[in-house]
């Protein structure tokens, strides 16, 4: 059944008013007519089974809690990079269960212009929304405006668990970092994934001082987008 995230004002009692873009997709792209059923999600944790009744209207048949959200609230801090790689990481990590994304600029980031990247936020959020709809998520992970390195470290302090993936870490692997931890509803975590050139030693030390534990993802050097997905999948699997 097709799934659509809708704004709060779309839900009025037992009636759903589909925004023009969604109504066009339903009618012209998917070719769904009156009587067909879809799932509408309010991005607040609820999904509604809706029967189409008009060009942009539907009747709510039932409501239930949306599935697909892990117990772990994982925020992925992702270094800005080339458009295709960054957008791929957003899409796949949404499917993996990441709860929020924070782009950042570090010393070796391929993209250094945060203001220019800020203009891409609507596109990034659309990519994440489509991935959330496709993968059965109950909420759309927000994508924050890009931050400088110091701002990203400060932002992450709200998480109870904080890691920075670093290829030069020799002592603490993922298994050791997770030892003694168990899934818990509402648990919050943040993980930093650096750019293609990696983090500088100074940045790793700054992260350590802010409460981030350096973490190895294994003996092989992973591409940035591969590291992002591997970290997301493993952390959500173990704690989510």
């Amino acid at each position: 059944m097709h799934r659509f995230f809708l704004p709060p004002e779309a839900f009025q009692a037992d009636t759903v008013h589909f925004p023009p873009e969604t109504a066009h997709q339903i009618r012209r792209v998917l070719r769904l007519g009156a009587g067909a059923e879809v799932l509408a999600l309010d991005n607040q944790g609820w999904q509604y089974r809706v029967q189409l009744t008009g060009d942009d209207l539907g009747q709510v048949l039932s409501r239930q809690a949306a599935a697909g959200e892990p117990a772990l609230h994982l925020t992925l801090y992702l270094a800005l990079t080339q458009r295709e790689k960054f957008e791929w990481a957003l899409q796949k990590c949404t499917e993996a269960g990441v709860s929020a994304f924070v782009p950042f600029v570090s010393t070796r980031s391929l993209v250094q212009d945060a203001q220019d990247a800020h203009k891409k936020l609507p596109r990034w959020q659309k990519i994440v929304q489509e991935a959330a709809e496709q993968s059965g998520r109950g909420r759309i992970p927000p994508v924050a405006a890009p931050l400088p390195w110091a701002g990203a470290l400060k932002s992450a302090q709200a998480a109870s668990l904080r890691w920075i993936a670093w290829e030069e870490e020799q002592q603490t692997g993922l298994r050791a970092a997770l030892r003694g931890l168990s899934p818990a509803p509402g648990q919050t975590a943040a993980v930093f994934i650096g750019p293609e050139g990696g983090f500088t030693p100074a940045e790793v030390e700054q992260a350590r001082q802010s409460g981030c534990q350096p973490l190895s993802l294994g003996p092989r050097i992973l591409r940035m987008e591969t590291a992002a997905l591997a970290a997301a999948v493993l952390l959500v699997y173990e704690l989510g």
Side-chain angles (χ1 to χ4, degrees):
M1 192 177 297
H2 297 287
R3 301 163 55 86
F4 304 95
F5 281 98
L6 304 179
E9 60 270 19
F11 299 89
Q12 299 179 13
D14 291 332
T15 301
V16 173
H17 295 258
F18 294 99
E21 183 179 356
T22 306
H24 174 81
Q25 183 181 3
I26 290 173
R27 295 298 187 190
R28 304 302 180 188
V29 180
L30 299 175
R31 304 288 185 180
L32 300 178
E37 295 182 9
V38 299
L39 288 178
L41 297 100
D42 62 6
N43 202 29
Q44 301 298 315
W46 294 97
Q47 67 180 26
Y48 303 75
R49 190 163 61 92
V50 177
Q51 186 176 58
L52 303 179
T53 59
D55 286 345
D56 61 352
L57 295 174
Q59 178 72 28
V60 174
L61 302 178
S62 63
R63 185 185 84 150
Q64 65 184 61
E69 291 305 301
L72 175 70
H73 187 285
L74 175 62
T75 299
L76 181 65
Y77 286 78
L78 195 59
L80 287 175
T81 188
Q82 297 169 339
R83 179 177 66 84
E84 294 83 0
K85 293 182 178 182
F86 191 83
E87 293 178 354
W88 186 92
L90 290 177
Q91 181 189 67
K92 300 309 177 186
C93 291
T94 296
E95 295 175 19
V98 168
S99 297
F101 296 93
V102 181
F104 66 87
V105 176
S106 61
T107 303
R108 297 171 179 168
S109 297
L110 290 183
V111 176
Q112 291 286 328
D113 190 345
Q115 287 298 326
D116 182 65
H118 190 281
K119 301 174 185 176
K120 299 176 183 177
L121 275 174
R123 174 179 172 83
W124 293 343
Q125 197 63 65
K126 183 174 179 61
I127 289 170
V128 167
Q129 176 175 331
E130 291 175 350
E133 290 173 343
Q134 178 273 323
S135 60
R137 296 287 300 268
R139 296 178 184 269
I140 305 171
V143 183
L147 293 174
W149 176 240
L153 287 177
K154 183 176 180 180
S155 168
Q157 289 180 354
S160 57
L161 303 171
R162 302 189 292 280
W163 296 286
I164 178 171
W166 191 35
E167 68 276 9
E168 295 188 29
E169 174 59 34
Q170 300 294 322
Q171 297 181 349
T172 304
L174 186 63
R175 182 175 298 174
L178 296 176
R179 188 171 294 125
L181 300 178
S182 58
Q187 193 170 44
T188 59
V191 60
F192 284 85
I193 304 296
E196 282 78 352
F199 291 108
T200 66
E203 287 170 339
V204 174
E205 183 56 31
Q206 290 165 353
R208 197 194 309 269
Q209 291 179 6
S210 74
C212 292
Q213 180 181 13
L215 175 72
S216 170
L217 295 177
R220 290 160 296 281
I221 301 298
L222 304 179
R223 292 180 183 270
M224 185 271 282
E225 66 273 24
T226 309
L229 182 57
V233 168
L234 294 171
L235 290 173
V236 171
Y237 176 79
E238 290 292 337
L239 298 178

